[in-house]
Amino acid sequence: MPARQDEPTGRPPTVREATFALLRSLGMTTVFGNPGSTELPMFREFPADFRYVLGLQESVVLAMADGFAQAGRRPAVVNLHSAAGVGHAMGSLFTAWRNRTPLVIVAGQQARSLLGGEPYLLNDQAAELPKPYVKWSREPARAEDVPAAIARACYLAMSPPHGPTLVSVPADDWDRPCGPVEPRTVSTTLRADPEALERVGRALAGAARPAFVVGAAVDQDGAFAEVVELAERHRAAVWAAPMSSRCAFPETHPLFAGFLPPVREEIVARLTGHDVVLSLGAPVFTYHVAGGGPVLPPGTALHQLTDDPATAAWTPVGDALLTGIRLGVRDLLAFDPAVPRELPPPRPAPAPVPDTDVITQPLLMRTLADLRPTRSVIVEEAPSSRPVMCEYLPNERPESFYTCASGSLGHSLPAAVGMALGRPGERVIAVVGDGSAMYSIQALWSAAELGLPLTVLVVNNGRYATVDRFADRFGLGKAVGTAIGGLDFAALARAQGCAAGRVEHPARLARALRTALASPRPYLLDVRVGD
């Protein structure tokens, strides 16, 4: 029996042995991949305490790792195949960059002994290919430098703001001898300058009608409870930041004011009347359509807490403080309001769901809200359904909602697979549009192979509805290429080993959802919706 790779053998460890020992010490024992020839030497005598998760295409592989890393709050390891594999994964890499997900990508490369020529499968500029959507990328100059480069990639991935990193490794490096790389403690805590934070605290204490804008970094940094406490202390109206990818405040709380739209003029209208706006873990602001005019209402002061220096640098108005969100909010709890404040007006209740002879999106989301398990997790990628979800499917807990921060389709179905793998014992529910699902439908095979209790709801309206709506905004009338009818999602799911069903009539919706939510294995429900 061969010695375990972290056991002494009387010889120097190989690059492979040193790398797996390092990853083991960091708790990174799950590898997501789709193997190619240039990666095979990495997996010689693959350690028994490691797990290899196979995806059927590299974009699916990387998105599964994204969900798994977000679930576990630590980097996930992704193995990609040379230039082609990294190229296939670029859409998901862009999303991981926008999601601020910590990933360590180990990409294959042709053998170092062949790099002087133009060999088959050469990645000619391996460190440049993934840019700008990695925090750091490197192909080490020597084989013995590979484990140290992977260690650096791990620590950088977890430094705020989190993000993906990449190391390109020639195929013949893995068997070369090298020295061991000892794990280190790398503190990544950020705390704001006390004087600057005191100015924010005093401005908040003296505000007559404060408002908060909360973004994904609140949830990423574990600051959910602290933000709730701060909002309650100051009786501040709390808005979700435009296009935020996570739930940062309980959406049924009396102080929750709603979701800011990604439109400059509409944001200004909603924030009018607030004299101080505190932005927590969110850009100021993410826009999706062109606009004009001021960023904030006249006379409104802005203070921003962010862990991202780039975000702080491009913020167009106000003061920006670089800090961990949880620590920054804890420090602000030392400042009490100077004068009593009334509660802000409550958010209007959603409109009643009318009875119709088709399943409408409000009916689907309200029924799902009624039936989903208390500890369930929503992973969403149904762009035309998102406004309806905001009204009828509220999220109330930290780490309970995830979506794609980039707008690049194909992320959330495989991300839900990774999320279910990383959150055993919790029901993960993927809510995806029919168009989104077809970008990465082969993720269902991985879910079936892993036997995950995953529920996939396909919101099937037979078209790219969001594109149709933007066509109206641009005055195009009818957009071309948006009809995608004729797809049988239940058949596609069954062909890959999943249970599946389809529902078209409102009277059968609740029963179909109960079946999908109770399944111990992956279950896809094709929900045919009308406008």
Side-chain angles (χ1 to χ4, degrees), residues 486-501:
L487 292 166
D488 189 338
F489 287 96
L492 288 168
R494 293 189 190 104
Q496 297 181 76
C498 297

Side-chain angles (χ1 to χ4, degrees), residues 10-353:
R11 58 166 174 78
T14 63
V15 167
R16 179 178 55 255
E17 291 167 346
T19 297
F20 279 113
L22 170 72
L23 295 175
R24 180 183 293 112
S25 69
L26 297 175
M28 298 165 60
T29 57
T30 298
V31 180
F32 294 83
N34 180 274
S37 57
T38 58
E39 294 77 68
L40 288 179
M42 178 180 178
F43 299 110
R44 190 193 314 277
E45 298 177 355
F46 189 61
D49 58 327
F50 276 66
R51 171 174 55 184
Y52 187 90
V53 179
L54 175 61
L56 300 186
Q57 205 264 5
E58 284 92 342
S59 64
V60 168
V61 166
L62 198 138
M64 286 196 300
D66 187 329
F68 184 78
Q70 291 194 68
R73 301 175 67 87
R74 68 172 62 196
V77 182
V78 185
N79 183 238
L80 299 178
H81 177 51
S82 193
V86 176
H88 287 159
M90 280 300 294
S92 292
L93 181 61
F94 171 55
T95 295
W97 170 260
R98 293 295 187 191
N99 284 352
R100 303 303 191 202
T101 303
L103 297 176
V104 177
I105 301 165
V106 180
Q109 172 65 295
Q110 184 53 276
R112 192 178 293 271
S113 59
L114 298 176
L115 294 185
E118 293 287 334
Y120 189 64
L121 295 180
L122 169 69
N123 188 350
D124 196 40
Q125 298 186 50
E128 298 301 314
L129 177 59
K131 292 179 179 179
Y133 301 121
V134 288
K135 294 182 69 176
W136 180 77
S137 58
R138 182 68 56 87
E139 184 172 279
R142 305 181 305 165
E144 52 265 43
D145 297 329
V146 167
I150 292 175
R152 182 176 177 182
C154 293
Y155 301 135
L156 278 171
M158 279 301 290
S159 299
H162 299 168
T165 57
L166 181 143
V167 180
S168 172
V169 184
D172 51 359
D173 281 5
W174 293 104
D175 293 316
R176 294 285 299 274
C178 70
V181 176
E182 298 296 331
R184 299 181 296 120
T185 298
V186 178
S187 176
T188 58
T189 302
L190 292 176
R191 198 157 200 162
D193 172 71
E195 292 184 3
L197 197 64
E198 182 177 357
R199 289 194 293 272
V200 176
R202 295 195 181 282
L204 186 59
R209 191 175 174 224
F212 294 176
V213 177
V214 295
V218 169
D219 198 36
Q220 289 166 337
D221 201 37
F224 196 94
E226 287 83 356
V227 170
V228 172
E229 183 179 354
L230 187 68
E232 290 175 343
R233 180 169 299 185
H234 290 276
R235 295 194 167 192
V238 181
W239 294 89
M243 314 299 289
S244 182
S245 61
R246 293 173 71 153
C247 173
F249 196 83
E251 294 163 11
T252 56
H253 194 286
L255 292 174
F256 186 66
F259 300 82
L260 290 180
V263 182
R264 182 187 299 242
E265 296 88 345
E266 294 183 25
I267 292 173
V268 170
R270 283 161 175 76
L271 296 179
T272 293
H274 295 289
D275 55 340
V276 172
V277 172
L278 178 63
S279 174
L280 299 170
V284 182
F285 293 103
T286 300
Y287 302 128
H288 191 21
V289 296
V295 175
L296 289 170
T300 300
L302 173 78
H303 301 277
Q304 180 186 44
L305 271 59
T306 178
D307 63 359
D308 186 349
T311 296
W314 71 254
T315 297
V317 296
D319 300 323
L321 277 69
L322 195 62
T323 181
I325 307 303
R326 182 166 53 89
L327 291 179
V329 172
R330 283 183 178 179
D331 288 341
L332 289 178
L333 286 169
F335 298 89
D336 291 322
V339 295
R341 297 175 183 143
E342 295 182 358
L343 288 171
R347 182 186 179 201
V353 176

Side-chain angles (χ1 to χ4, degrees), residues 1-13:
M1 177 181 295
R4 207 175 84 164
Q5 292 187 7
D6 58 348
E7 293 177 351
T9 61
R11 58 166 174 78

Side-chain angles (χ1 to χ4, degrees), residues 410-459:
H411 162 266
S412 291
L413 179 53
V417 176
M419 184 69 63
L421 187 64
R423 301 275 283 271
E426 297 185 45
R427 172 63 56 169
V428 174
I429 306 166
V431 181
V432 296
D434 48 351
S436 295
M438 288 307 298
Y439 276 71
S440 51
I441 195 69
Q442 62 269 57
L444 294 174
W445 181 88
S446 297
E449 287 293 302
L450 294 165
L452 299 172
L454 171 68
T455 301
V456 178
L457 304 180
V458 177
V459 185

